[in-house]
Amino acid sequence: MADQATDTRVLWQEFKRTNDRALRDRLILTYAPLVKYVAGRLGSGLPAHVEEGDLVSYGLLGLIGAIERFDPNLGIKFETYAIARIKGSIIDELRSMDWVPRSVRARARDIERAIADLESRLTRAPTDEEIAAKLGITEEEFQDSLLEISRSSIAALDELWASPGSGGDAVALIDTIEDPTAAEPQSAMAHTEVREALGEAISRLPEREKLVVTLYYYEELTLREIGEVLGVTESRVSQLHTKAILRLKARLSSWVHRDKQD
């Protein structure tokens, strides 16, 4: 293992010194499993017509870009850097296809606005019944909407958010979950406030939703495995996950709005 790590470091040094295409291709082969991993994670929540092979192709472009842009001297773990770029490449390509129905996007925005309005008025997380009443639909229709949104969702905690006053820079929601073992890029310091706001929003989620977020993003369990832990169906876990993400997006939108007013 130590010899492999040494070989990889040498490979990086030679590639950055010479920019040799053959060395780049060797690095691509070395880190190709990252693309498969990310594609599998993102693909688990996508409709059946989205092929994992296509996601791998999109992600490979992100890996190549990450290898060409990465600076080993910054002390940042390449895997952390590359995963973000791979995810971004896949999400960008899916968005360019515009495969999510407008009606689903519109319903997601309606739910976000309803949650934000209710939380502002109630100063707590609204119940499903309260959200459904605000939307003028039944609880069953609300749950059906969550399931439909979850089947069309590609971003989840990997959605990029612009940080107010950051000049267009962005921070991923997933980056707000602290990884004490990973070195943090210096540029991430510009996003301290938004990370703190999102971290607080995650801590304020209802317990079952917070548990789903923790198990999915931190423990890296699949939705099916989380269902086994909670004793519920995979579809129910998907609904809880989607509801948690919509709450987080609603809270962030409210935070951004307050920040602009200050």
Side-chain angles (χ1 to χ4, degrees):
M1 186 69 70
D3 290 342
Q4 183 179 357
T6 300
D7 290 344
T8 302
R9 283 197 298 271
V10 172
L11 190 57
W12 271 114
Q13 291 170 356
E14 285 299 304
F15 172 64
K16 288 302 176 181
R17 184 178 65 83
T18 64
N19 203 31
D20 182 82
R21 188 180 183 87
L23 294 176
R24 188 201 68 171
D25 291 345
R26 287 175 59 188
L27 285 170
I28 291 171
L29 290 175
T30 299
Y31 294 106
L34 287 178
V35 179
K36 181 74 172 177
Y37 165 77
V38 174
R41 293 278 292 171
L42 288 178
S44 65
L46 297 179
H49 70 269
V50 180
E51 298 286 344
E52 184 173 322
D54 291 336
L55 301 184
V56 170
S57 297
Y58 307 150
L60 189 59
L61 296 176
L63 174 62
I64 293 171
I67 289 173
E68 291 177 344
R69 293 177 178 82
F70 182 65
D71 183 354
N73 297 320
L74 290 179
I76 303 166
K77 191 175 180 181
F78 176 74
E79 287 82 353
T80 302
Y81 175 82
I83 284 174
R85 297 302 178 274
I86 293 167
K87 288 174 181 174
S89 181
I90 294 173
I91 290 171
D92 284 347
E93 186 62 31
L94 288 172
R95 281 179 177 156
S96 71
M97 295 161 58
D98 196 26
W99 56 272
V100 180
R102 291 184 180 180
S103 59
V104 175
R105 294 185 190 275
R107 178 50 59 92
R109 288 194 296 269
D110 288 343
I111 294 174
E112 287 175 39
R113 284 193 290 264
I115 290 173
D117 182 69
L118 288 168
E119 288 200 344
S120 176
R121 183 157 52 86
L122 301 172
T123 65
R124 60 169 172 78
T127 64
D128 290 2
E129 181 181 7
E130 290 167 335
I131 297 171
K134 176 72 174 177
L135 293 167
I137 59 178
T138 66
E139 282 190 66
E140 183 178 358
E141 289 173 327
F142 174 58
Q143 297 300 333
D144 288 343
S145 292
L146 290 177
L147 199 55
E148 187 177 15
I149 293 167
S150 72
R151 288 169 177 160
S152 300
S153 176
I154 62 171
L157 279 186
D158 304 310
E159 178 72 40
L160 293 179
W161 295 96
S163 173
S166 65
D169 291 338
V171 61
L173 283 172
I174 189 63
D175 292 337
T176 67
I177 300 178
E178 181 180 4
D179 179 1
T181 66
E184 186 176 80
Q186 292 181 352
S187 59
M189 295 302 292
H191 307 304
T192 298
E193 290 185 3
V194 73
R195 287 201 308 273
E196 290 178 351
L198 288 166
E200 180 183 355
I202 291 171
S203 71
R204 289 171 51 203
L205 288 172
E207 285 304 314
R208 283 172 75 83
E209 293 173 30
K210 182 162 58 176
L211 181 58
V212 168
V213 167
T214 300
L215 292 176
Y216 187 74
Y217 293 101
Y218 221 176
E219 302 299 332
E220 298 190 347
L221 270 63
T222 65
L223 297 182
R224 180 183 58 79
E225 290 168 338
I226 296 172
E228 293 174 357
V229 171
L230 299 181
V232 299
T233 64
E234 184 175 342
S235 293
R236 179 57 182 153
V237 175
S238 185
Q239 289 171 324
L240 289 168
H241 173 264
T242 299
K243 191 163 41 171
I245 300 309
L246 292 174
R247 287 191 201 276
L248 292 173
K249 292 171 76 173
R251 288 174 186 170
L252 182 64
S253 296
S254 297
W255 179 81
V256 170
H257 180 69
R258 287 196 304 270
D259 187 86
K260 288 181 177 178
Q261 287 183 326
D262 292 344

